Amino acid sequence: MTSVHEQDVVPPGRGLLPDAARIFVAGHRGLVGSALARRLTADGHEVITRGRERLDLRDAARTAAFLRDTRPDAVVLAAAKVGGILANSTYPVEFLEDNLRIQLSVLAGAHAAGVPRLLFLGSSCIYPKLAPQPITEEALLTGPLEPTNEPYALAKIAGIAQVRAYRRQHGAAWISAMPTNLYGPGDNFDLETSHVLPALIRRFHEAERAGADEVLLWGTGTPRREFLHVDDLADACALLLRRYDDDGPVNVGCGEDLTIRELAELVGEVTAYGGRIAFDPSKPDGTPRKLLDITRLATLGWRPKVALREGIASVYQDWLASGRD
Ligand SMILES: NC(=O)c1ccc[n+]([C@@H]2O[C@H](COP(=O)([O-])OP(=O)(O)OC[C@H]3O[C@@H](n4cnc5c(N)ncnc54)[C@H](OP(=O)(O)O)[C@@H]3O)[C@@H](O)[C@H]2O)c1
């Protein structure tokens, strides 16, 4: 039994992740996985990776064998089939089945290999469409989902339930995080499939280069959204791996939102676009507000570090330097 003295001197959560742990980051080439790999390496851990060409995580037998052979101290599951509205509505089968398969392979394989620590990544988009704002973790499964990404959300909710089930049935110290909209280096700038922030950066950059006097954006510009730099997410995940061991998922956001118009103005400034910003109110707006309540994370002492303007500027410079513009 832990003595009172030990409880006093041992920081909460100490021992959940050893120093210089061997951590398998699944999806290490993605926006989230690459940030986690950078951060965990910088923290002195040994990050283990396997590209999809060597290990398709939908393959349960091969994933189990890999985990049995490598026996990591921890697994971070940042591999998923991810996409925007168009991809979700075109390939609902893949969004449901690929994600279920990846989760089943990785979690069952990690359990069979005796992996003591696992972090599963959910998403703010799996909360009910009309959840009260700001969205607390308790809102999960309290109402209908956003229809456009329902298959994806159902798969992710199953992942959260799976983590909880391993905790309850096997006492596993496995946890889930629920990130808000993320952006960062290596983001997807393809206008067909990208999220709103890289899409805006590209639109304004191209307008600036073309000397356009107007950029026309969909909707009214009034919906409010929250954005977190992926390095801040990695920082929060590193903290959760060290310190958090509870049933409920943990929201990871910056705690502040802004309107799409304000976001567009910010991106316009960063990209030195000098023209007008117009909105087409005949096009759909989506949910009026999406902001996570980050009280649970804040009680662990966490605060975001990257201000939105600086974050957007660094992502813009990174994209220009990559020559993909
Ligand atoms: N981006 C966001 O704004 C955001 C917000 C909230 C939550 N999240 C969550 O964070 C996680 C990662 O998202 P992300 O934005 O980093 O996605 P991403 O950039 O598309 O990266 C996903 C990664 O998963 C890998 N992957 C997909 N299917 C695989 C398979 N069958 N076998 C092996 N690897 C596979 C991909 O490999 P390849 O490189 O080979 O394609 C890629 O490296 C997801 O669970 C997502 O729900 C993201």
Side-chain angles (χ1 to χ4, degrees):
M1 207 176 113
T2 311
S3 71
V4 172
H5 176 67
E6 276 168 350
Q7 282 177 358
D8 285 348
V9 295
V10 177
R14 177 83 183 272
L16 288 170
L17 189 71
D19 292 341
R22 298 173 62 251
I23 306 177
F24 172 45
V25 176
H28 70 288
R29 291 192 197 121
L31 177 68
V32 171
S34 57
L36 275 156
R38 284 194 301 276
R39 172 58 197 249
L40 294 170
T41 303
D43 284 353
H45 299 296
E46 180 192 338
V47 170
I48 302 166
T49 58
R50 266 305 173 280
R52 185 207 296 245
E53 66 290 347
R54 288 181 67 194
L55 178 63
D56 186 329
L57 295 167
R58 292 171 300 182
D59 185 331
R62 294 195 59 221
T63 303
F66 165 75
L67 288 165
R68 194 183 55 234
D69 293 346
T70 48
R71 289 194 166 274
D73 298 308
V75 167
V76 178
L77 181 43
K81 176 139 187 87
V82 177
I85 293 178
L86 184 66
N88 268 273
S89 53
T90 314
Y91 303 107
V93 174
E94 279 78 6
F95 276 84
L96 183 68
E97 292 191 355
D98 282 11
N99 285 312
L100 285 173
R101 285 207 178 102
I102 290 170
Q103 293 159 198
L104 282 168
S105 299
V106 174
L107 272 64
H111 172 66
V115 175
R117 197 82 175 118
L118 181 143
L119 172 64
F120 175 74
L121 285 161
S123 170
S124 61
C125 69
I126 72 176
Y127 282 116
K129 183 178 165 68
L130 301 175
Q133 304 290 319
I135 308 172
T136 64
E137 290 87 351
E138 283 71 33
L140 195 65
L141 286 170
T142 56
L145 299 165
E146 163 64 46
T148 51
N149 71 350
E150 194 184 81
Y152 174 80
L154 286 171
K156 286 268 159 193
I157 292 169
I160 307 269
Q162 211 185 340
V163 165
R164 233 180 237 159
Y166 276 104
R167 289 185 64 86
R168 288 187 189 161
Q169 194 173 328
H170 298 293
W174 292 5
I175 54 173
S176 300
M178 301 283 241
T180 187
N181 303 309
L182 302 168
Y183 69 98
D187 217 334
N188 170 16
F189 282 82
D190 178 345
L191 286 180
E192 292 284 306
T193 54
S194 59
H195 292 124
V196 59
L197 187 41
L200 283 178
I201 292 176
R202 184 170 195 146
R203 290 281 308 274
F204 281 103
H205 169 74
E206 289 177 354
E208 192 274 325
R209 287 282 154 99
D213 55 10
E214 182 179 285
V215 168
L216 181 64
L217 301 174
W218 274 32
T220 60
T222 57
R224 302 185 70 85
R225 295 289 182 271
E226 176 187 20
F227 298 91
L228 185 74
H229 193 283
V230 75
D231 287 350
D232 272 336
L233 171 75
D235 186 52
C237 288
L239 175 77
L240 291 174
L241 279 166
R242 289 195 311 274
R243 300 265 310 271
Y244 186 76
D245 184 21
D246 218 329
D247 247 14
V250 182
N251 286 342
V252 185
C254 66
E256 285 173 19
D257 57 4
L258 76 173
T259 66
I260 294 294
R261 178 182 289 279
E262 288 164 341
L263 180 70
E265 286 166 359
L266 205 51
V267 174
E269 285 166 29
V270 168
T271 55
Y273 165 72
R276 269 179 299 120
I277 303 173
F279 286 88
D280 177 358
S282 71
K283 294 289 195 297
D285 258 347
T287 313
R289 192 174 191 204
K290 260 182 71 181
L291 176 65
L292 290 181
D293 182 314
I294 56 164
T295 308
R296 193 172 281 177
L297 186 58
T299 56
L300 291 172
W302 187 83
R303 299 280 178 281
K305 297 183 179 71
V306 184
L308 187 56
R309 177 186 296 271
E310 281 72 50
I312 293 173
S314 75
V315 168
Y316 181 47
Q317 290 311 322
D318 174 76
W319 180 58
L320 290 180
S322 75
R324 287 174 285 134
D325 61 314

